[in-house]
Amino acid sequence: MKQSKILRVIEIAQEIYSNHGEVLKHHLKPLVERACGAIERSKATSTYLGIGEICRRCDEEEGGSCCGVGIEAYYTPELIVANMLLGIHPSHSSFNRNSCYFLGKNGCLLVFRHTLCVNFLCKRLYDLLGTERIILLQTAIGEEIEITFKLCEAISRIVRGQWDL
């Protein structure tokens, strides 16, 4: 994906946040809190299963590819705005031009991530974790994906004026 496209998405998100940020913060606070809770549970499950270490080793020893360039093409202004509600304002420079625009030195710079980023599990993870642990992880991930979707939909409805305030 051309970097100019993601910069445009970020620019649109900044416009939305500038025009609607206070209203969004006020009306979506409970939903944002629920979403953060789901993300914490998802990350705790991932940590419990050792996924971070598995992925770190793959990235360092084999070059990894999960956060490859172009993944950011799936991000919408609403998803960026959701992150802005938490004080995360993506910069206009990426850490590594050969990776996703939102990949930083210590992983993803965003809290609210696209479904593809949250749900992707490589063959190695499937092989190492086994069915029972994959089900445990996908249950936690499913909650994160669902609430993030609801948050982005709510942002969109408020911005379009289709929300009963």
Side-chain angles (χ1 to χ4, degrees):
M1 173 174 153
K2 287 185 173 181
Q3 198 172 33
S4 61
K5 185 175 179 187
I6 191 58
L7 293 178
R8 180 65 184 134
V9 169
I10 292 169
E11 185 178 294
I12 292 167
Q14 289 169 332
E15 290 171 21
I16 291 169
Y17 188 77
S18 177
N19 293 327
H20 303 280
E22 291 307 313
V23 170
L24 292 169
K25 283 183 201 175
H26 176 75
H27 290 286
L28 297 181
K29 184 177 180 183
L31 189 56
V32 169
E33 289 173 353
R34 281 185 26 226
C36 287
I39 291 168
E40 286 176 24
R41 288 186 291 281
S42 178
K43 286 185 177 184
T45 302
S46 180
T47 299
Y48 168 75
L49 296 173
I51 292 172
E53 181 59 23
I54 294 167
C55 294
R56 183 195 62 73
R57 274 191 312 224
C58 175
D59 186 55
E60 289 178 2
E61 296 169 12
E62 299 174 31
S65 64
C66 299
C67 302
V69 67
I71 296 296
E72 67 274 6
Y74 296 98
Y75 279 78
T76 63
E78 292 81 8
L79 198 49
I80 303 301
V81 169
N83 282 280
M84 290 176 169
L85 293 173
L86 296 177
I88 299 166
H89 298 266
S91 67
H92 285 291
S93 63
S94 59
F95 170 68
N96 179 346
R97 285 201 173 297
N98 296 319
S99 297
C100 174
Y101 184 86
F102 301 114
L103 181 65
K105 276 195 270 188
N106 298 313
C108 188
L109 301 172
L110 304 176
V111 171
F112 297 113
R113 298 172 294 146
H114 191 276
T115 299
L116 287 173
C117 301
V118 176
N119 198 40
F120 177 77
L121 299 173
C122 68
K123 182 176 179 345
R124 173 180 282 167
L125 284 174
Y126 275 100
D127 292 345
L128 290 172
L129 295 176
T131 304
E132 191 174 303
R133 289 179 170 197
I134 290 292
I135 291 170
L136 176 67
L137 179 62
Q138 288 182 328
T139 300
I141 286 171
E143 181 186 11
E144 176 181 345
I145 290 169
E146 180 181 4
I147 195 77
T148 299
F149 173 80
K150 288 178 179 179
L151 176 59
C152 289
E153 285 297 301
I155 290 167
S156 181
R157 285 193 316 271
I158 289 173
V159 169
R160 289 189 324 252
Q162 297 175 342
W163 182 275
D164 295 329
L165 299 178

PDB file of all heavy atoms in Angstrom, residues 22-60:
ATOM      1  N   GLU A  22     -14.790  15.196  21.559  1.00  0.00           N
ATOM      2  CA  GLU A  22     -15.382  15.368  22.897  1.00  0.00           C
ATOM      3  C   GLU A  22     -16.705  14.622  23.024  1.00  0.00           C
ATOM      4  O   GLU A  22     -16.982  13.989  24.044  1.00  0.00           O
ATOM      5  CB  GLU A  22     -15.542  16.853  23.232  1.00  0.00           C
ATOM      6  CG  GLU A  22     -14.208  17.571  23.438  1.00  0.00           C
ATOM      7  CD  GLU A  22     -13.307  16.893  24.465  1.00  0.00           C
ATOM      8  OE1 GLU A  22     -13.787  16.529  25.566  1.00  0.00           O
ATOM      9  OE2 GLU A  22     -12.107  16.710  24.167  1.00  0.00           O
ATOM     10  N   VAL A  23     -17.546  14.709  21.991  1.00  0.00           N
ATOM     11  CA  VAL A  23     -18.831  13.992  21.997  1.00  0.00           C
ATOM     12  C   VAL A  23     -18.582  12.489  22.029  1.00  0.00           C
ATOM     13  O   VAL A  23     -19.234  11.748  22.775  1.00  0.00           O
ATOM     14  CB  VAL A  23     -19.684  14.388  20.765  1.00  0.00           C
ATOM     15  CG1 VAL A  23     -20.905  13.488  20.631  1.00  0.00           C
ATOM     16  CG2 VAL A  23     -20.095  15.841  20.846  1.00  0.00           C
ATOM     17  N   LEU A  24     -17.624  12.025  21.223  1.00  0.00           N
ATOM     18  CA  LEU A  24     -17.297  10.605  21.195  1.00  0.00           C
ATOM     19  C   LEU A  24     -16.796  10.132  22.559  1.00  0.00           C
ATOM     20  O   LEU A  24     -17.231   9.081  23.049  1.00  0.00           O
ATOM     21  CB  LEU A  24     -16.244  10.324  20.113  1.00  0.00           C
ATOM     22  CG  LEU A  24     -16.691  10.504  18.666  1.00  0.00           C
ATOM     23  CD1 LEU A  24     -15.492  10.459  17.728  1.00  0.00           C
ATOM     24  CD2 LEU A  24     -17.715   9.452  18.274  1.00  0.00           C
ATOM     25  N   LYS A  25     -15.888  10.894  23.160  1.00  0.00           N
ATOM     26  CA  LYS A  25     -15.362  10.522  24.483  1.00  0.00           C
ATOM     27  C   LYS A  25     -16.486  10.407  25.498  1.00  0.00           C
ATOM     28  O   LYS A  25     -16.542   9.448  26.276  1.00  0.00           O
ATOM     29  CB  LYS A  25     -14.351  11.568  24.975  1.00  0.00           C
ATOM     30  CG  LYS A  25     -13.009  11.483  24.347  1.00  0.00           C
ATOM     31  CD  LYS A  25     -12.112  12.535  24.995  1.00  0.00           C
ATOM     32  CE  LYS A  25     -10.949  12.889  24.145  1.00  0.00           C
ATOM     33  NZ  LYS A  25     -10.144  13.965  24.703  1.00  0.00           N
ATOM     34  N   HIS A  26     -17.371  11.375  25.486  1.00  0.00           N
ATOM     35  CA  HIS A  26     -18.455  11.413  26.470  1.00  0.00           C
ATOM     36  C   HIS A  26     -19.421  10.235  26.305  1.00  0.00           C
ATOM     37  O   HIS A  26     -19.727   9.529  27.259  1.00  0.00           O
ATOM     38  CB  HIS A  26     -19.215  12.744  26.360  1.00  0.00           C
ATOM     39  CG  HIS A  26     -20.396  12.824  27.256  1.00  0.00           C
ATOM     40  ND1 HIS A  26     -20.280  13.018  28.612  1.00  0.00           N
ATOM     41  CD2 HIS A  26     -21.728  12.701  26.997  1.00  0.00           C
ATOM     42  CE1 HIS A  26     -21.481  13.027  29.159  1.00  0.00           C
ATOM     43  NE2 HIS A  26     -22.376  12.842  28.192  1.00  0.00           N
ATOM     44  N   HIS A  27     -19.893  10.027  25.093  1.00  0.00           N
ATOM     45  CA  HIS A  27     -20.930   9.029  24.866  1.00  0.00           C
ATOM     46  C   HIS A  27     -20.408   7.602  24.738  1.00  0.00           C
ATOM     47  O   HIS A  27     -21.173   6.656  24.953  1.00  0.00           O
ATOM     48  CB  HIS A  27     -21.760   9.404  23.636  1.00  0.00           C
ATOM     49  CG  HIS A  27     -22.612  10.606  23.878  1.00  0.00           C
ATOM     50  ND1 HIS A  27     -23.754  10.586  24.644  1.00  0.00           N
ATOM     51  CD2 HIS A  27     -22.462  11.887  23.481  1.00  0.00           C
ATOM     52  CE1 HIS A  27     -24.281  11.783  24.703  1.00  0.00           C
ATOM     53  NE2 HIS A  27     -23.508  12.609  24.000  1.00  0.00           N
ATOM     54  N   LEU A  28     -19.156   7.457  24.404  1.00  0.00           N
ATOM     55  CA  LEU A  28     -18.626   6.113  24.177  1.00  0.00           C
ATOM     56  C   LEU A  28     -17.732   5.607  25.310  1.00  0.00           C
ATOM     57  O   LEU A  28     -17.182   4.509  25.210  1.00  0.00           O
ATOM     58  CB  LEU A  28     -17.875   6.068  22.844  1.00  0.00           C
ATOM     59  CG  LEU A  28     -18.726   6.338  21.606  1.00  0.00           C
ATOM     60  CD1 LEU A  28     -17.881   6.255  20.351  1.00  0.00           C
ATOM     61  CD2 LEU A  28     -19.901   5.382  21.531  1.00  0.00           C
ATOM     62  N   LYS A  29     -17.604   6.380  26.367  1.00  0.00           N
ATOM     63  CA  LYS A  29     -16.722   5.988  27.476  1.00  0.00           C
ATOM     64  C   LYS A  29     -17.014   4.569  27.983  1.00  0.00           C
ATOM     65  O   LYS A  29     -16.077   3.769  28.118  1.00  0.00           O
ATOM     66  CB  LYS A  29     -16.802   7.004  28.611  1.00  0.00           C
ATOM     67  CG  LYS A  29     -15.840   6.696  29.722  1.00  0.00           C
ATOM     68  CD  LYS A  29     -15.877   7.743  30.813  1.00  0.00           C
ATOM     69  CE  LYS A  29     -14.880   7.347  31.898  1.00  0.00           C
ATOM     70  NZ  LYS A  29     -14.887   8.251  33.016  1.00  0.00           N
ATOM     71  N   PRO A  30     -18.269   4.205  28.268  1.00  0.00           N
ATOM     72  CA  PRO A  30     -18.510   2.833  28.751  1.00  0.00           C
ATOM     73  C   PRO A  30     -18.116   1.757  27.728  1.00  0.00           C
ATOM     74  O   PRO A  30     -17.571   0.720  28.099  1.00  0.00           O
ATOM     75  CB  PRO A  30     -20.029   2.799  29.011  1.00  0.00           C
ATOM     76  CG  PRO A  30     -20.439   4.224  29.149  1.00  0.00           C
ATOM     77  CD  PRO A  30     -19.498   5.007  28.280  1.00  0.00           C
ATOM     78  N   LEU A  31     -18.376   2.027  26.455  1.00  0.00           N
ATOM     79  CA  LEU A  31     -18.028   1.069  25.407  1.00  0.00           C
ATOM     80  C   LEU A  31     -16.509   0.954  25.254  1.00  0.00           C
ATOM     81  O   LEU A  31     -15.972  -0.151  25.108  1.00  0.00           O
ATOM     82  CB  LEU A  31     -18.675   1.484  24.082  1.00  0.00           C
ATOM     83  CG  LEU A  31     -18.602   0.502  22.925  1.00  0.00           C
ATOM     84  CD1 LEU A  31     -19.193  -0.854  23.292  1.00  0.00           C
ATOM     85  CD2 LEU A  31     -19.333   1.070  21.712  1.00  0.00           C
ATOM     86  N   VAL A  32     -15.815   2.076  25.339  1.00  0.00           N
ATOM     87  CA  VAL A  32     -14.348   2.070  25.275  1.00  0.00           C
ATOM     88  C   VAL A  32     -13.783   1.273  26.453  1.00  0.00           C
ATOM     89  O   VAL A  32     -12.865   0.456  26.287  1.00  0.00           O
ATOM     90  CB  VAL A  32     -13.774   3.506  25.241  1.00  0.00           C
ATOM     91  CG1 VAL A  32     -12.264   3.501  25.443  1.00  0.00           C
ATOM     92  CG2 VAL A  32     -14.130   4.204  23.932  1.00  0.00           C
ATOM     93  N   GLU A  33     -14.346   1.469  27.631  1.00  0.00           N
ATOM     94  CA  GLU A  33     -13.876   0.736  28.815  1.00  0.00           C
ATOM     95  C   GLU A  33     -14.108  -0.766  28.668  1.00  0.00           C
ATOM     96  O   GLU A  33     -13.237  -1.574  29.006  1.00  0.00           O
ATOM     97  CB  GLU A  33     -14.549   1.282  30.074  1.00  0.00           C
ATOM     98  CG  GLU A  33     -14.054   2.665  30.449  1.00  0.00           C
ATOM     99  CD  GLU A  33     -14.829   3.305  31.587  1.00  0.00           C
ATOM    100  OE1 GLU A  33     -15.871   2.748  32.030  1.00  0.00           O
ATOM    101  OE2 GLU A  33     -14.398   4.389  32.038  1.00  0.00           O
ATOM    102  N   ARG A  34     -15.286  -1.150  28.149  1.00  0.00           N
ATOM    103  CA  ARG A  34     -15.562  -2.571  27.918  1.00  0.00           C
ATOM    104  C   ARG A  34     -14.596  -3.142  26.882  1.00  0.00           C
ATOM    105  O   ARG A  34     -14.101  -4.264  27.031  1.00  0.00           O
ATOM    106  CB  ARG A  34     -17.005  -2.767  27.444  1.00  0.00           C
ATOM    107  CG  ARG A  34     -18.003  -2.700  28.569  1.00  0.00           C
ATOM    108  CD  ARG A  34     -19.442  -3.003  28.181  1.00  0.00           C
ATOM    109  NE  ARG A  34     -19.646  -3.842  27.042  1.00  0.00           N
ATOM    110  CZ  ARG A  34     -20.534  -3.579  26.070  1.00  0.00           C
ATOM    111  NH1 ARG A  34     -21.276  -2.499  26.110  1.00  0.00           N
ATOM    112  NH2 ARG A  34     -20.678  -4.406  25.060  1.00  0.00           N
ATOM    113  N   ALA A  35     -14.329  -2.371  25.842  1.00  0.00           N
ATOM    114  CA  ALA A  35     -13.402  -2.826  24.800  1.00  0.00           C
ATOM    115  C   ALA A  35     -11.995  -3.014  25.366  1.00  0.00           C
ATOM    116  O   ALA A  35     -11.327  -4.008  25.067  1.00  0.00           O
ATOM    117  CB  ALA A  35     -13.390  -1.835  23.642  1.00  0.00           C
ATOM    118  N   CYS A  36     -11.564  -2.076  26.179  1.00  0.00           N
ATOM    119  CA  CYS A  36     -10.227  -2.196  26.793  1.00  0.00           C
ATOM    120  C   CYS A  36     -10.155  -3.431  27.690  1.00  0.00           C
ATOM    121  O   CYS A  36      -9.129  -4.122  27.719  1.00  0.00           O
ATOM    122  CB  CYS A  36      -9.885  -0.928  27.568  1.00  0.00           C
ATOM    123  SG  CYS A  36      -9.493   0.471  26.490  1.00  0.00           S
ATOM    124  N   GLY A  37     -11.233  -3.720  28.391  1.00  0.00           N
ATOM    125  CA  GLY A  37     -11.276  -4.925  29.220  1.00  0.00           C
ATOM    126  C   GLY A  37     -11.155  -6.186  28.378  1.00  0.00           C
ATOM    127  O   GLY A  37     -10.429  -7.122  28.741  1.00  0.00           O
ATOM    128  N   ALA A  38     -11.848  -6.217  27.264  1.00  0.00           N
ATOM    129  CA  ALA A  38     -11.773  -7.379  26.365  1.00  0.00           C
ATOM    130  C   ALA A  38     -10.359  -7.540  25.815  1.00  0.00           C
ATOM    131  O   ALA A  38      -9.847  -8.655  25.710  1.00  0.00           O
ATOM    132  CB  ALA A  38     -12.783  -7.230  25.228  1.00  0.00           C
ATOM    133  N   ILE A  39      -9.729  -6.423  25.471  1.00  0.00           N
ATOM    134  CA  ILE A  39      -8.363  -6.473  24.948  1.00  0.00           C
ATOM    135  C   ILE A  39      -7.400  -6.955  26.028  1.00  0.00           C
ATOM    136  O   ILE A  39      -6.514  -7.769  25.761  1.00  0.00           O
ATOM    137  CB  ILE A  39      -7.949  -5.102  24.378  1.00  0.00           C
ATOM    138  CG1 ILE A  39      -8.751  -4.821  23.096  1.00  0.00           C
ATOM    139  CG2 ILE A  39      -6.450  -5.033  24.113  1.00  0.00           C
ATOM    140  CD1 ILE A  39      -8.663  -3.396  22.599  1.00  0.00           C
ATOM    141  N   GLU A  40      -7.593  -6.501  27.257  1.00  0.00           N
ATOM    142  CA  GLU A  40      -6.740  -6.973  28.362  1.00  0.00           C
ATOM    143  C   GLU A  40      -6.876  -8.477  28.549  1.00  0.00           C
ATOM    144  O   GLU A  40      -5.881  -9.180  28.745  1.00  0.00           O
ATOM    145  CB  GLU A  40      -7.104  -6.237  29.648  1.00  0.00           C
ATOM    146  CG  GLU A  40      -6.631  -4.797  29.691  1.00  0.00           C
ATOM    147  CD  GLU A  40      -7.093  -4.063  30.945  1.00  0.00           C
ATOM    148  OE1 GLU A  40      -7.382  -4.724  31.973  1.00  0.00           O
ATOM    149  OE2 GLU A  40      -7.167  -2.832  30.890  1.00  0.00           O
ATOM    150  N   ARG A  41      -8.104  -8.992  28.479  1.00  0.00           N
ATOM    151  CA  ARG A  41      -8.315 -10.432  28.633  1.00  0.00           C
ATOM    152  C   ARG A  41      -7.690 -11.203  27.468  1.00  0.00           C
ATOM    153  O   ARG A  41      -7.087 -12.261  27.669  1.00  0.00           O
ATOM    154  CB  ARG A  41      -9.810 -10.741  28.760  1.00  0.00           C
ATOM    155  CG  ARG A  41     -10.390 -10.297  30.103  1.00  0.00           C
ATOM    156  CD  ARG A  41     -11.829 -10.726  30.292  1.00  0.00           C
ATOM    157  NE  ARG A  41     -12.766 -10.031  29.421  1.00  0.00           N
ATOM    158  CZ  ARG A  41     -13.227  -8.796  29.630  1.00  0.00           C
ATOM    159  NH1 ARG A  41     -12.831  -8.120  30.695  1.00  0.00           N
ATOM    160  NH2 ARG A  41     -14.087  -8.255  28.781  1.00  0.00           N
ATOM    161  N   SER A  42      -7.802 -10.661  26.269  1.00  0.00           N
ATOM    162  CA  SER A  42      -7.205 -11.290  25.097  1.00  0.00           C
ATOM    163  C   SER A  42      -5.682 -11.333  25.228  1.00  0.00           C
ATOM    164  O   SER A  42      -5.045 -12.362  24.972  1.00  0.00           O
ATOM    165  CB  SER A  42      -7.624 -10.505  23.841  1.00  0.00           C
ATOM    166  OG  SER A  42      -7.055 -11.037  22.689  1.00  0.00           O
ATOM    167  N   LYS A  43      -5.098 -10.219  25.641  1.00  0.00           N
ATOM    168  CA  LYS A  43      -3.639 -10.166  25.817  1.00  0.00           C
ATOM    169  C   LYS A  43      -3.179 -11.076  26.954  1.00  0.00           C
ATOM    170  O   LYS A  43      -2.132 -11.715  26.853  1.00  0.00           O
ATOM    171  CB  LYS A  43      -3.186  -8.729  26.058  1.00  0.00           C
ATOM    172  CG  LYS A  43      -3.227  -7.893  24.798  1.00  0.00           C
ATOM    173  CD  LYS A  43      -2.674  -6.504  25.019  1.00  0.00           C
ATOM    174  CE  LYS A  43      -2.678  -5.737  23.705  1.00  0.00           C
ATOM    175  NZ  LYS A  43      -2.077  -4.425  23.827  1.00  0.00           N
ATOM    176  N   ALA A  44      -3.962 -11.142  28.029  1.00  0.00           N
ATOM    177  CA  ALA A  44      -3.606 -12.021  29.153  1.00  0.00           C
ATOM    178  C   ALA A  44      -3.610 -13.481  28.705  1.00  0.00           C
ATOM    179  O   ALA A  44      -2.724 -14.260  29.078  1.00  0.00           O
ATOM    180  CB  ALA A  44      -4.567 -11.815  30.313  1.00  0.00           C
ATOM    181  N   THR A  45      -4.580 -13.849  27.902  1.00  0.00           N
ATOM    182  CA  THR A  45      -4.646 -15.216  27.378  1.00  0.00           C
ATOM    183  C   THR A  45      -3.446 -15.492  26.480  1.00  0.00           C
ATOM    184  O   THR A  45      -2.807 -16.541  26.580  1.00  0.00           O
ATOM    185  CB  THR A  45      -5.967 -15.441  26.609  1.00  0.00           C
ATOM    186  OG1 THR A  45      -7.063 -15.185  27.491  1.00  0.00           O
ATOM    187  CG2 THR A  45      -6.057 -16.850  26.069  1.00  0.00           C
ATOM    188  N   SER A  46      -3.122 -14.533  25.634  1.00  0.00           N
ATOM    189  CA  SER A  46      -1.974 -14.661  24.744  1.00  0.00           C
ATOM    190  C   SER A  46      -0.681 -14.819  25.546  1.00  0.00           C
ATOM    191  O   SER A  46       0.169 -15.665  25.225  1.00  0.00           O
ATOM    192  CB  SER A  46      -1.902 -13.435  23.830  1.00  0.00           C
ATOM    193  OG  SER A  46      -0.812 -13.513  22.967  1.00  0.00           O
ATOM    194  N   THR A  47      -0.539 -14.032  26.588  1.00  0.00           N
ATOM    195  CA  THR A  47       0.650 -14.116  27.452  1.00  0.00           C
ATOM    196  C   THR A  47       0.708 -15.472  28.147  1.00  0.00           C
ATOM    197  O   THR A  47       1.762 -16.124  28.179  1.00  0.00           O
ATOM    198  CB  THR A  47       0.640 -12.976  28.489  1.00  0.00           C
ATOM    199  OG1 THR A  47       0.658 -11.733  27.789  1.00  0.00           O
ATOM    200  CG2 THR A  47       1.845 -13.061  29.417  1.00  0.00           C
ATOM    201  N   TYR A  48      -0.417 -15.898  28.688  1.00  0.00           N
ATOM    202  CA  TYR A  48      -0.505 -17.189  29.367  1.00  0.00           C
ATOM    203  C   TYR A  48      -0.065 -18.332  28.446  1.00  0.00           C
ATOM    204  O   TYR A  48       0.619 -19.262  28.866  1.00  0.00           O
ATOM    205  CB  TYR A  48      -1.943 -17.415  29.860  1.00  0.00           C
ATOM    206  CG  TYR A  48      -2.231 -18.819  30.310  1.00  0.00           C
ATOM    207  CD1 TYR A  48      -1.748 -19.286  31.535  1.00  0.00           C
ATOM    208  CD2 TYR A  48      -2.982 -19.682  29.514  1.00  0.00           C
ATOM    209  CE1 TYR A  48      -2.016 -20.592  31.948  1.00  0.00           C
ATOM    210  CE2 TYR A  48      -3.251 -20.979  29.917  1.00  0.00           C
ATOM    211  CZ  TYR A  48      -2.760 -21.431  31.137  1.00  0.00           C
ATOM    212  OH  TYR A  48      -3.010 -22.713  31.536  1.00  0.00           O
ATOM    213  N   LEU A  49      -0.423 -18.222  27.174  1.00  0.00           N
ATOM    214  CA  LEU A  49      -0.086 -19.270  26.212  1.00  0.00           C
ATOM    215  C   LEU A  49       1.323 -19.119  25.625  1.00  0.00           C
ATOM    216  O   LEU A  49       1.768 -19.972  24.870  1.00  0.00           O
ATOM    217  CB  LEU A  49      -1.125 -19.291  25.084  1.00  0.00           C
ATOM    218  CG  LEU A  49      -2.547 -19.662  25.516  1.00  0.00           C
ATOM    219  CD1 LEU A  49      -3.521 -19.484  24.360  1.00  0.00           C
ATOM    220  CD2 LEU A  49      -2.591 -21.084  26.057  1.00  0.00           C
ATOM    221  N   GLY A  50       2.016 -18.030  25.953  1.00  0.00           N
ATOM    222  CA  GLY A  50       3.391 -17.829  25.489  1.00  0.00           C
ATOM    223  C   GLY A  50       3.501 -17.365  24.048  1.00  0.00           C
ATOM    224  O   GLY A  50       4.562 -17.485  23.427  1.00  0.00           O
ATOM    225  N   ILE A  51       2.439 -16.812  23.525  1.00  0.00           N
ATOM    226  CA  ILE A  51       2.428 -16.426  22.114  1.00  0.00           C
ATOM    227  C   ILE A  51       3.427 -15.310  21.826  1.00  0.00           C
ATOM    228  O   ILE A  51       4.107 -15.337  20.798  1.00  0.00           O
ATOM    229  CB  ILE A  51       1.002 -16.057  21.662  1.00  0.00           C
ATOM    230  CG1 ILE A  51       0.155 -17.334  21.667  1.00  0.00           C
ATOM    231  CG2 ILE A  51       0.997 -15.391  20.294  1.00  0.00           C
ATOM    232  CD1 ILE A  51      -1.306 -17.130  21.431  1.00  0.00           C
ATOM    233  N   GLY A  52       3.539 -14.352  22.706  1.00  0.00           N
ATOM    234  CA  GLY A  52       4.480 -13.256  22.499  1.00  0.00           C
ATOM    235  C   GLY A  52       5.906 -13.744  22.313  1.00  0.00           C
ATOM    236  O   GLY A  52       6.633 -13.276  21.424  1.00  0.00           O
ATOM    237  N   GLU A  53       6.304 -14.698  23.119  1.00  0.00           N
ATOM    238  CA  GLU A  53       7.661 -15.252  23.016  1.00  0.00           C
ATOM    239  C   GLU A  53       7.840 -16.032  21.716  1.00  0.00           C
ATOM    240  O   GLU A  53       8.868 -15.923  21.054  1.00  0.00           O
ATOM    241  CB  GLU A  53       7.957 -16.139  24.229  1.00  0.00           C
ATOM    242  CG  GLU A  53       9.337 -16.750  24.230  1.00  0.00           C
ATOM    243  CD  GLU A  53      10.477 -15.745  24.208  1.00  0.00           C
ATOM    244  OE1 GLU A  53      10.301 -14.570  24.623  1.00  0.00           O
ATOM    245  OE2 GLU A  53      11.580 -16.128  23.766  1.00  0.00           O
ATOM    246  N   ILE A  54       6.828 -16.802  21.351  1.00  0.00           N
ATOM    247  CA  ILE A  54       6.892 -17.561  20.099  1.00  0.00           C
ATOM    248  C   ILE A  54       7.043 -16.594  18.921  1.00  0.00           C
ATOM    249  O   ILE A  54       7.894 -16.787  18.041  1.00  0.00           O
ATOM    250  CB  ILE A  54       5.635 -18.444  19.927  1.00  0.00           C
ATOM    251  CG1 ILE A  54       5.599 -19.531  21.010  1.00  0.00           C
ATOM    252  CG2 ILE A  54       5.598 -19.064  18.523  1.00  0.00           C
ATOM    253  CD1 ILE A  54       4.256 -20.258  21.113  1.00  0.00           C
ATOM    254  N   CYS A  55       6.237 -15.543  18.915  1.00  0.00           N
ATOM    255  CA  CYS A  55       6.272 -14.573  17.819  1.00  0.00           C
ATOM    256  C   CYS A  55       7.580 -13.776  17.819  1.00  0.00           C
ATOM    257  O   CYS A  55       8.136 -13.508  16.755  1.00  0.00           O
ATOM    258  CB  CYS A  55       5.079 -13.630  17.898  1.00  0.00           C
ATOM    259  SG  CYS A  55       3.490 -14.456  17.617  1.00  0.00           S
ATOM    260  N   ARG A  56       8.065 -13.418  18.997  1.00  0.00           N
ATOM    261  CA  ARG A  56       9.322 -12.676  19.084  1.00  0.00           C
ATOM    262  C   ARG A  56      10.458 -13.495  18.494  1.00  0.00           C
ATOM    263  O   ARG A  56      11.248 -13.005  17.697  1.00  0.00           O
ATOM    264  CB  ARG A  56       9.636 -12.305  20.541  1.00  0.00           C
ATOM    265  CG  ARG A  56      10.919 -11.455  20.681  1.00  0.00           C
ATOM    266  CD  ARG A  56      11.436 -11.402  22.100  1.00  0.00           C
ATOM    267  NE  ARG A  56      11.810 -12.709  22.624  1.00  0.00           N
ATOM    268  CZ  ARG A  56      12.889 -13.403  22.267  1.00  0.00           C
ATOM    269  NH1 ARG A  56      13.725 -12.928  21.369  1.00  0.00           N
ATOM    270  NH2 ARG A  56      13.152 -14.583  22.796  1.00  0.00           N
ATOM    271  N   ARG A  57      10.525 -14.763  18.871  1.00  0.00           N
ATOM    272  CA  ARG A  57      11.587 -15.637  18.341  1.00  0.00           C
ATOM    273  C   ARG A  57      11.483 -15.778  16.827  1.00  0.00           C
ATOM    274  O   ARG A  57      12.485 -15.724  16.117  1.00  0.00           O
ATOM    275  CB  ARG A  57      11.530 -17.014  18.999  1.00  0.00           C
ATOM    276  CG  ARG A  57      12.293 -17.084  20.299  1.00  0.00           C
ATOM    277  CD  ARG A  57      12.401 -18.505  20.736  1.00  0.00           C
ATOM    278  NE  ARG A  57      11.076 -19.116  20.646  1.00  0.00           N
ATOM    279  CZ  ARG A  57      10.535 -19.899  21.554  1.00  0.00           C
ATOM    280  NH1 ARG A  57      11.205 -20.221  22.615  1.00  0.00           N
ATOM    281  NH2 ARG A  57       9.339 -20.390  21.398  1.00  0.00           N
ATOM    282  N   CYS A  58      10.269 -15.950  16.329  1.00  0.00           N
ATOM    283  CA  CYS A  58      10.063 -16.075  14.879  1.00  0.00           C
ATOM    284  C   CYS A  58      10.545 -14.807  14.174  1.00  0.00           C
ATOM    285  O   CYS A  58      11.235 -14.882  13.162  1.00  0.00           O
ATOM    286  CB  CYS A  58       8.589 -16.332  14.577  1.00  0.00           C
ATOM    287  SG  CYS A  58       8.200 -16.355  12.818  1.00  0.00           S
ATOM    288  N   ASP A  59      10.180 -13.657  14.722  1.00  0.00           N
ATOM    289  CA  ASP A  59      10.562 -12.390  14.105  1.00  0.00           C
ATOM    290  C   ASP A  59      12.079 -12.204  14.118  1.00  0.00           C
ATOM    291  O   ASP A  59      12.679 -11.843  13.113  1.00  0.00           O
ATOM    292  CB  ASP A  59       9.883 -11.230  14.825  1.00  0.00           C
ATOM    293  CG  ASP A  59      10.124  -9.904  14.135  1.00  0.00           C
ATOM    294  OD1 ASP A  59       9.824  -9.802  12.933  1.00  0.00           O
ATOM    295  OD2 ASP A  59      10.640  -8.983  14.798  1.00  0.00           O
ATOM    296  N   GLU A  60      12.715 -12.487  15.263  1.00  0.00           N
ATOM    297  CA  GLU A  60      14.154 -12.263  15.397  1.00  0.00           C
ATOM    298  C   GLU A  60      14.989 -13.312  14.669  1.00  0.00           C
ATOM    299  O   GLU A  60      16.020 -12.994  14.092  1.00  0.00           O
ATOM    300  CB  GLU A  60      14.541 -12.225  16.876  1.00  0.00           C
ATOM    301  CG  GLU A  60      14.059 -10.984  17.583  1.00  0.00           C
ATOM    302  CD  GLU A  60      14.406 -10.975  19.064  1.00  0.00           C
ATOM    303  OE1 GLU A  60      15.061 -11.926  19.557  1.00  0.00           O
ATOM    304  OE2 GLU A  60      14.014 -10.008  19.740  1.00  0.00           O
TER     305      GLU A  60
END
